[in-house]
Amino acid sequence: MRSDEGVRFATIWLSGCAGCHMSFLDQDELLLELAKKVLVVYSPLVDEKEFPDEVDVTIVEGAVGNEEQLALIRKARASTGILISMGDCAVTGNVTALRNAWENGDEAVLRRAYLELVETAPQIPNEVPALLKKAYPLHEVVKVDYFIPGCPPDASRINYVLTELLEGREPEMEGRSKFG
C-alpha cells in the first residue's frame, strides 16, 4: 500500500455539510503524524481537479446526490484500494436523503430552493450537475470497505481507523460506532 512517497491518500466531499472534513481536521497534532505516512493526492483541502489513479485509501463524506458525484465515486472506487464511508450522510444518506421521501424529490428540492424561496429572478439553474432521482449512501452505488458513522464522526474515531489501516491492522469498530 505504501510507495516511496507514502500511502496515496484522498478525501472526497459529496452532498454533505463538510462537518466530516472539519472532524478530520480536528485531529489537530495527530494530523502531523498522519502527514508523515501519507501523500494527499486528492481532497477539497488541496488543489487537484481530477481524481488520480492508484490511490491507496480514500475517505468519502456525503451522500451521492448528483450525476457528477456518481461519476466521481465510481472513478474513485475503481482507482482506490480501500474506500471508507465517513459520516452519516455517506453511511445512511442522512439529511441529504430526506428528499427521497417525496415522489420526484429531486424536482421538489430544486423548486423549493430556486423558485419558492427566491424573491428576485427565480430560476432553476441549468449549468449545475443534474440531481439524481434519489440521494444514495455510498454502499448503494459502490463497494465500501469500512464505515465510520457519526454526524460528524469524532476526530479520534477517524484517526483510529486511519491509523489502524496504515499500520496494516483491521480496525475494530465494535463499541466505537455511533450514529448521530
Side-chain angles (χ1 to χ4, degrees):
M1 169 158 59
R2 173 173 267 187
S3 71
D4 291 340
E5 301 170 311
V7 172
R8 291 175 55 84
F9 179 74
T11 74
I12 294 175
W13 174 18
L14 301 177
S15 291
C17 68
C20 296
H21 272 82
M22 294 301 107
S23 267
F24 177 81
L25 294 174
D26 280 345
Q27 293 179 72
D28 299 325
E29 69 276 356
L30 295 175
L31 279 176
L32 299 175
E33 294 302 314
L34 184 62
K36 294 175 185 172
K37 300 174 184 171
V38 302
L39 173 66
V40 179
V41 295
Y42 184 89
S43 174
L45 307 172
V46 299
D47 189 27
E48 183 62 43
K49 305 298 183 221
E50 297 292 325
F51 195 88
D53 293 329
E54 300 179 13
V55 177
D56 297 308
V57 178
T58 298
I59 58 175
V60 183
E61 168 188 4
V64 182
N66 66 44
E67 291 178 1
E68 183 177 274
Q69 294 170 347
L70 182 60
L72 173 59
I73 198 62
R74 286 179 173 159
K75 165 71 174 153
R77 176 69 272 183
S79 302
T80 298
I82 298 172
L83 188 88
I84 303 168
S85 181
M86 177 176 68
D88 288 351
C89 290
V91 173
T92 68
N94 205 24
V95 174
T96 308
L98 290 175
R99 74 179 197 219
N100 297 348
W102 291 296
E103 185 175 333
N104 299 319
D106 56 331
E107 294 172 20
V109 166
L110 291 173
R111 265 195 324 276
R112 183 75 175 151
Y114 294 104
L115 300 178
E116 298 169 8
L117 297 177
V118 175
E119 295 177 6
T120 304
Q123 63 180 346
I124 294 178
N126 58 10
E127 295 180 3
V128 295
L131 291 181
L132 299 172
K133 288 290 179 194
K134 292 176 50 182
Y136 297 93
L138 292 189
H139 70 277
E140 288 190 14
V141 295
V142 295
K143 178 184 176 285
V144 171
D145 300 302
Y146 296 95
F147 297 87
I148 308 174
C151 185
D154 63 66
S156 63
R157 195 172 323 141
I158 295 168
N159 184 269
Y160 167 76
V161 170
L162 292 175
T163 299
E164 291 296 293
L165 291 172
L166 294 176
E167 295 298 324
R169 297 185 295 257
E170 191 76 18
E172 175 57 53
M173 295 303 288
E174 187 169 325
R176 295 180 190 268
S177 290
K178 150 182 161 339
F179 288 92

